[in-house]
Amino acid sequence: MKTFVSGRVAARIAGTAALLLCAAPAFAFPAFGNTRDCSKPVTYTEVNLDGRKMHFTVDITDHNHNVIANLDLGDIPGHGSATIDIDPKKDLKGTNEQNCDATNHSWLVTANGGVGARADLELVTVLVDPVTGLHTIGSNAGILLDNPQVLGLFSVPDLWGDTDNDGVLDDDDFLYSLIDFAQVPAALVFSPQQIFNVVNGEVAGLPGMRFSTTPFVFDPVTGFGPGTPYNGTAQVLTQHNVAPIPEPATLALLGLGLAAFGLTRRARPGAA
């Protein structure tokens, strides 16, 4: 079932200053308890790094990669951004209240308001059951919570390519990208408008990402297939930031920790 989410899920449009958080400290992604919990709230920020207007929508999926919600962020002006906060327990009532992964659909808005070049980016966390060997979709928010050294934010480049090789980026071009957070060994380093060489669907400087000219298909037995590997150049025209939203219990513990730290410093003789 596909549900349009409204209410607390609000798009906040920033018309001028795009977020350019392109690098973070290195980290590795083990899969702990939060990684399997798709009820964790998360913030997604869609950033237009190009001077042209773009349209953004986001699909939210469950453990089986079924789309359970669709968010339409509308048009985002050049160098603008939009942010959505999703709390599955509050915003996805009427579904199975899961927010596992997200697929971002972006397209250039043509002069007459039509659809130009397109780019799809799937942000996923693929887990494998050690007993059955079957694949399931974990929680993007959870895997970030399980790795606090990420500092709560991960930025992913969205690459656009001339997939029909006619020398221009137009409505015949559609590049599909996928990032599996469970396969990312370190933060991704990139810059706006950067051009990457894609060879057999992969980029040497973007580990954990794959690129295809056809959609990626999920199968519980094999995980995500390779699609149709893209070969050619691709440019960073959009960016997607993912950050878990601290829950009240986490914030309370953090507050207690800071309070205890303050008391300790005041109790120390000669403390500054």
Side-chain angles (χ1 to χ4, degrees):
M1 176 174 64
K2 183 178 292 188
T3 304
F4 179 78
V5 178
S6 59
R8 291 184 65 259
V9 181
R12 302 194 296 272
I13 305 296
T16 54
L19 300 179
L20 301 179
L21 301 171
C22 302
F27 56 89
F29 275 151
F32 299 126
N34 287 318
T35 303
R36 301 179 184 278
D37 185 355
C38 287
S39 69
K40 299 297 181 182
V42 67
T43 292
Y44 289 107
T45 299
E46 316 299 337
V47 186
N48 182 352
L49 302 174
D50 192 72
R52 293 165 287 185
K53 182 191 299 183
M54 295 190 185
H55 194 98
F56 290 78
T57 66
V58 182
D59 288 339
I60 303 299
T61 75
D62 62 13
H63 280 297
N64 298 312
H65 201 57
N66 297 314
V67 176
I68 59 173
N70 175 265
L71 316 175
D72 191 336
L73 281 68
D75 293 345
I76 299 179
H79 305 295
S81 65
T83 297
I84 52 174
D85 299 331
I86 305 171
D87 184 343
K89 295 176 182 177
K90 297 178 180 179
D91 301 319
L92 299 180
K93 290 190 177 299
T95 70
N96 53 9
E97 299 182 10
Q98 294 181 20
N99 172 27
C100 295
D101 70 8
T103 301
N104 299 276
H105 308 283
S106 314
W107 61 84
L108 285 167
V109 179
T110 63
N112 61 1
V115 177
R118 290 166 289 177
D120 274 12
L121 171 61
E122 295 199 48
L123 302 104
V124 303
T125 301
V126 181
L127 305 177
V128 181
D129 188 306
V131 177
T132 65
L134 295 177
H135 297 72
T136 187
I137 304 297
S139 167
N140 290 340
I143 203 168
L144 294 175
L145 287 169
D146 284 339
N147 294 270
Q149 64 270 42
V150 181
L151 303 179
L153 173 71
F154 193 83
S155 298
V156 183
D158 198 0
L159 272 58
W160 299 61
D162 176 22
T163 55
D164 65 352
N165 297 308
D166 67 352
V168 294
L169 197 62
D170 55 24
D171 57 1
D172 292 322
D173 298 312
F174 200 149
L175 185 62
Y176 297 85
S177 307
L178 180 145
I179 180 169
D180 180 359
F181 286 131
Q183 302 296 323
V184 177
L188 303 179
V189 180
F190 61 93
S191 59
Q193 306 290 330
Q194 183 173 353
I195 297 175
F196 288 95
N197 289 315
V198 184
V199 179
N200 197 29
E202 297 183 350
V203 173
L206 299 175
M209 295 195 73
R210 288 183 280 164
F211 305 91
S212 170
T213 56
T214 56
F216 294 98
V217 178
F218 178 73
D219 185 299
V221 176
T222 58
F224 281 96
T228 305
Y230 173 63
N231 288 278
T233 59
Q235 188 172 19
V236 182
L237 297 184
T238 45
Q239 170 183 323
H240 305 277
N241 300 330
V242 187
I245 300 173
E247 297 179 276
T250 304
L251 292 174
L253 289 173
L254 178 60
L256 288 172
L258 292 174
F261 177 73
L263 290 172
T264 301
R265 284 189 59 83
R266 285 196 293 272
R268 287 175 54 198

